[in-house]
Amino acid sequence: IAQWFLFCGFCEVYAARQDPKNPPGKLSGNDEGFEQTTYGNLGLYKGSSIADPDKKKRGLNSEIANGRLAMMAIIGMFFQDGLTGSAWGDWELYVDSPLRAFEGELGVQAPVGFWDPAGLAKDGDADAFKRRRETEIKHGRVSMIACLGYIVPEYFKWPGYLSPSLGISFSDVPSGLAAFSKVPSAGWLQMFLFCGTIDFGLFQQDPSRAPGDYKNAGILGVPNGTGPMTDSEARNRKLNAELANGRLAMMAII
């Protein structure tokens, strides 16, 4: 380890250092005669650089993209090594993990499988997992509606007035966060009460039912609608799609 440390220090400080005059990543060092020399294509010492500017730009972009991917990959390999004893360890052989308790749950999808980087489920607590899944589904559904609320007003707005008494029409309300300044306080109060009625009245979570499965909600969340789906395979496919779309919407709305 000391040799590695000294070698890296030698490269960083003397043989392959960043000159402020050069572009980021273009390293230089001293040759045998203590004169400055640079590294060429593929990092070869005293190698030739790429003359074609378009080809050079494409190569540098590829290097940055591959470096970002490698940074994520090495973290995954460290994690895999810590769990299985090998960076290429077989996950099937790691039978003692409490994460195994949730591998068959909805939302465990390729390519990452059961992904819990924060280790929230490492204790194997089924009740805590169910509570977090309820929260995930609810936030995902709200985020999907919020994304639609950003997109739809760009193409369609209701005719007439949002507030006749204040003379505010729907066309006066801008999209996105700017709408906060236009909607009157009475309108926000109505939305707040409506959400509270839905959350605490119509769609209450029954502990005996699956997370997000409300007694009064049918297919697509239609109140007192038909459901559940009788085809179990199609139902699981739809529920997995809902989780995936909800996760995407949570990232999108941020």
Side-chain angles (χ1 to χ4, degrees):
I1 294 178
Q3 294 176 22
W4 296 340
F5 181 80
L6 291 174
F7 174 75
C8 292
F10 171 77
C11 291
E12 184 77 17
V13 177
Y14 181 80
R17 63 181 183 272
Q18 178 69 56
D19 189 333
K21 299 178 181 179
N22 293 328
K26 185 177 181 180
L27 305 178
S28 61
N30 297 326
D31 62 8
E32 296 83 351
F34 298 99
E35 295 181 359
Q36 189 179 49
T37 186
T38 59
Y39 291 79
N41 191 22
L42 298 179
L44 296 178
Y45 182 64
K46 293 186 177 181
S48 59
S49 60
I50 301 175
D52 187 338
D54 292 334
K55 186 177 180 181
K56 182 178 181 180
K57 183 178 180 180
R58 186 168 63 251
L60 292 173
N61 278 326
S62 297
E63 179 187 25
I64 292 174
N66 292 337
R68 291 167 177 168
L69 178 61
M71 285 187 279
M72 296 299 297
I74 195 63
I75 295 297
M77 294 170 74
F78 287 154
F79 184 73
Q80 178 89 339
D81 196 359
L83 288 177
T84 66
S86 171
W88 308 105
D90 188 352
W91 177 248
E92 296 296 330
L93 301 179
Y94 191 63
V95 296
D96 297 328
S97 173
L99 302 180
R100 289 286 186 181
F102 308 117
E103 277 195 332
E105 294 288 339
L106 292 168
V108 180
Q109 302 173 18
V112 296
F114 183 79
W115 194 60
D116 181 28
L120 298 177
K122 63 182 180 180
D123 56 0
D125 189 332
D127 291 334
F129 178 85
K130 183 177 180 181
R131 176 176 51 79
R132 284 192 290 267
R133 174 51 55 83
E134 292 172 4
T135 304
E136 178 187 22
I137 292 174
K138 181 180 293 187
H139 288 174
R141 290 170 175 171
V142 171
S143 295
M144 285 188 280
I145 296 173
C147 287
L148 288 175
Y150 255 83
I151 298 171
V152 172
E154 297 291 337
Y155 303 95
F156 172 81
K157 291 184 179 181
W158 294 110
Y161 284 89
L162 170 69
S163 176
S165 61
L166 297 177
I168 302 174
S169 64
F170 285 103
S171 60
D172 295 331
V173 180
S175 300
L177 297 177
F180 280 93
S181 62
K182 288 290 186 178
V183 178
S185 57
W188 291 114
L189 178 61
Q190 292 174 33
M191 288 186 276
F192 180 79
L193 293 176
F194 174 76
C195 292
T197 301
I198 295 295
D199 202 19
F200 295 100
L202 185 60
F203 293 156
Q204 281 191 320
Q205 181 65 55
D206 186 344
S208 64
R209 303 172 73 95
D213 182 14
Y214 302 120
K215 180 180 178 180
N216 296 326
I219 298 175
L220 296 179
V222 177
N224 300 315
T226 59
M229 299 177 64
T230 55
D231 187 339
S232 59
E233 184 176 345
R235 184 170 187 266
N236 286 339
R237 187 168 63 250
K238 295 291 186 182
L239 292 174
N240 273 318
E242 180 189 29
L243 279 167
N245 292 337
R247 291 165 179 170
L248 178 61
M250 285 187 277
M251 297 302 297
I253 197 62
I254 289 174

